[in-house]
């Protein structure tokens, strides 16, 4: 992997990640952009104890542009985009319309491929390995910023999820606090450790799932399963079998196997509803909308979680879709949105069975 860091016309950082070590990246951003001004602010909800990012400048962000005006495609001739070069393998850059900025953290965009009509599921294993390298490198770099406490790499896929740019891409949020969802995990981890005299909750969950009926896919170093209390109709958690706190902790064997396992998982998601494999042309239901989210241990202090260290946390990826059956979506209505109590119409055991049925 070759990494080349440069600056866009408005001062934002852009980083090329290339498969070839001899690739030269010296293209200049020719757009007449003024320096980006953001109004991001993090406010605490004193009743719930969580945080809300107020970012009014995002109202003006790019919204469903035609394919020939996509800002994530490479620059070609006089059609200038966020990527100055005429080609790329993987690119990461600071979001022009960030939810978090300055002392409130940082937001980045990750472009998985220059092919506008592709999807993550249509990438090669070599390309996925490069994306994994980019996620890992950004996690390392962002963790050293003084305002950052947790790094979150994720992909939203599909207009049903709220995606406004059709180009295959993901995002990285670098939060100035430990997110509420991670804090819940850490509290459960601490309580279990105390109640069992030191047992790790993540290890216990993984051991139970490996012995059960909800395993979807298993390799030598990774296992994917539908969790016992899945919130979403089709939800899969992907864990490395050796517990590590973050992407930096993965050994070479796990990193090598990841692309094959993850691509198979994504392709099965596209086949759940007889959709088109990887977003390429074909008949049937449109590609499955999903959210794919990496959960990593915070880099800040964990003093409030008694007896828990970073090494107790287990890196894992959660992949889920809001589609509950062909042509129907799962909406977060009264119980979910009002009280955070999910109601799942698809039994996790049946979801796991279905995901095994659509294996390649």
């Amino acid at each position: 992997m070759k990494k080349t860091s440069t600056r866009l016309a408005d001062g934002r950082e852009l980083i090329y990640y290339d498969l070839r070590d001899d690739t030269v990246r010296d293209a200049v951003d020719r757009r007449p952009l003024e320096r980006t001004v953001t109004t991001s602010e993090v406010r605490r909800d004193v009743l719930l104890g969580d945080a809300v990012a107020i970012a009014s400048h995002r109202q003006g962000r790019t919204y469903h542009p035609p394919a020939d005006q996509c800002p994530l495609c490479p620059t070609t001739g006089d059609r200038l985009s966020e990527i100055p070069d005429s080609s790329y393998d993987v690119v990461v850059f600071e979001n022009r319309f960030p939810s978090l900025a300055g002392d409130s953290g940082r937001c980045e965009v990750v472009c998985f491929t220059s092919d506008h009509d592709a999807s993550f599921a249509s990438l090669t294993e070599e390309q996925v390995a490069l994306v994994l390298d980019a996620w890992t490198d950004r996690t390392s770099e962002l963790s050293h910023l003084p305002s950052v406490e947790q790094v979150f790499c994720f992909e939203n896929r599909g207009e049903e999820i709220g995606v406004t740019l059709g180009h295959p891409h993901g995002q990285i949020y670098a939060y100035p606090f430990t997110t509420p969802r991670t804090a819940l995990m850490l509290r459960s981890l601490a309580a279990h450790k105390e109640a069992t005299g030191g047992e790790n909750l993540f290890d216990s969950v993984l051991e139970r799932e490996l012995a059960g009926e909800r395993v979807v896919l298993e390799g030598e170093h990774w296992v994917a399963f539908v969790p016992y209390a899945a919130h979403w109709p089709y939800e899969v958690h992907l864990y490395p079998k050796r517990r590590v706190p973050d992407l930096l902790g993965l050994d070479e064997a796990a990193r090598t196997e990841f692309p094959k396992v993850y691509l198979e998982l994504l392709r099965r998601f596209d086949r759940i509803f007889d959709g088109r494999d990887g977003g390429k042309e074909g008949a049937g239901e449109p590609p499955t909308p999903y959210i794919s989210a990496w959960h990593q241990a915070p880099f800040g202090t964990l003093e409030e979680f008694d007896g828990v260290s970073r090494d107790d946390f287990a890196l894992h990826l959660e992949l889920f879709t809001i589609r509950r059956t062909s042509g129907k979506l799962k909406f977060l209505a009264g119980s979910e949105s009002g009280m955070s109590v999910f109601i799942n119409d698809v039994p996790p055991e049946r979801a796991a069975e279905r995901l095994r049925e659509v294996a390649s």
Side-chain angles (χ1 to χ4, degrees), residues 136-185:
T136 305
D137 181 70
R138 297 314 300 152
T139 296
S140 176
E141 293 291 328
L142 292 170
S143 71
H144 290 95
L145 296 180
S147 62
V148 172
E149 190 166 313
Q150 186 172 358
V151 179
F152 176 47
C153 307
F154 65 100
E155 180 194 1
N156 298 328
R157 204 275 283 268
E159 290 186 20
E160 301 94 328
I161 296 293
V163 174
T164 57
L165 295 175
H167 196 105
H169 72 287
Q171 299 181 64
I172 302 175
Y173 277 22
Y175 297 101
F177 50 80
T178 297
T179 61
R181 188 174 177 85
T182 302
L184 285 174
M185 293 183 195

Side-chain angles (χ1 to χ4, degrees), residues 31 60-73 79-82 93 96-97 116-117 159 162-169:
R31 296 173 298 171
R61 65 187 184 274
T62 308
Y63 188 80
H64 294 300
D68 62 357
Q69 296 178 32
C70 174
L72 305 186
C73 288
R79 192 179 71 80
L80 309 179
S81 75
E82 288 279 63
F93 60 89
R96 190 177 178 186
F97 304 96
H116 181 86
D117 297 318
E159 290 186 20
V163 174
T164 57
L165 295 175
H167 196 105
H169 72 287

Side-chain angles (χ1 to χ4, degrees), residues 97-270:
F97 304 96
S99 302
L100 307 166
D103 292 339
S104 296
R106 175 160 157 153
C107 292
E108 298 182 340
V109 176
V110 184
C111 297
F112 303 135
T113 171
S114 60
D115 183 355
H116 181 86
D117 297 318
S119 74
F120 203 115
S122 68
L123 301 181
T124 66
E125 291 184 18
E126 185 179 37
Q127 288 175 302
V128 175
L130 184 61
V131 174
L132 179 61
D133 286 342
W135 282 332
T136 305
D137 181 70
R138 297 314 300 152
T139 296
S140 176
E141 293 291 328
L142 292 170
S143 71
H144 290 95
L145 296 180
S147 62
V148 172
E149 190 166 313
Q150 186 172 358
V151 179
F152 176 47
C153 307
F154 65 100
E155 180 194 1
N156 298 328
R157 204 275 283 268
E159 290 186 20
E160 301 94 328
I161 296 293
V163 174
T164 57
L165 295 175
H167 196 105
H169 72 287
Q171 299 181 64
I172 302 175
Y173 277 22
Y175 297 101
F177 50 80
T178 297
T179 61
R181 188 174 177 85
T182 302
L184 285 174
M185 293 183 195
L186 291 169
R187 292 189 190 102
S188 297
L189 189 62
H192 185 81
K193 190 173 186 178
E194 182 179 4
T196 60
E199 188 178 287
N200 185 280
L201 180 57
F202 285 111
D203 292 349
S204 298
V205 168
L206 193 56
E207 182 180 359
R208 181 183 69 180
E209 295 294 354
L210 279 166
E213 59 181 316
R214 289 180 296 276
V215 171
V216 171
L217 179 63
E218 183 177 358
E220 184 178 354
H221 304 284
W222 294 86
V223 61
F225 58 87
V226 177
Y228 171 73
H231 289 59
W232 299 93
Y234 290 90
E235 175 182 341
V236 174
H237 293 189
L238 177 62
Y239 276 71
K241 291 184 177 179
R242 183 180 69 87
R243 173 165 45 90
V244 295
D246 51 42
L247 290 166
L248 284 72
L250 292 173
D251 60 24
E252 194 57 37
R255 300 182 71 83
T256 299
E257 187 181 69
F258 173 78
K260 181 178 181 179
V261 173
Y262 187 47
L263 284 173
E264 172 62 18
L265 198 55
L266 290 180
R267 289 164 185 168
R268 291 191 193 188
F269 256 60
D270 272 331

Side-chain angles (χ1 to χ4, degrees), residues 256-303:
T256 299
E257 187 181 69
F258 173 78
K260 181 178 181 179
V261 173
Y262 187 47
L263 284 173
E264 172 62 18
L265 198 55
L266 290 180
R267 289 164 185 168
R268 291 191 193 188
F269 256 60
D270 272 331
R271 290 193 291 267
I272 298 173
F273 309 104
D274 298 321
R276 294 170 288 177
D277 248 18
K280 292 296 186 179
E281 289 191 15
E285 190 87 15
T288 303
Y290 65 72
I291 292 175
S292 179
W294 280 109
H295 291 263
Q296 306 191 78
F299 289 93
T301 176
L302 301 182
E303 291 179 359

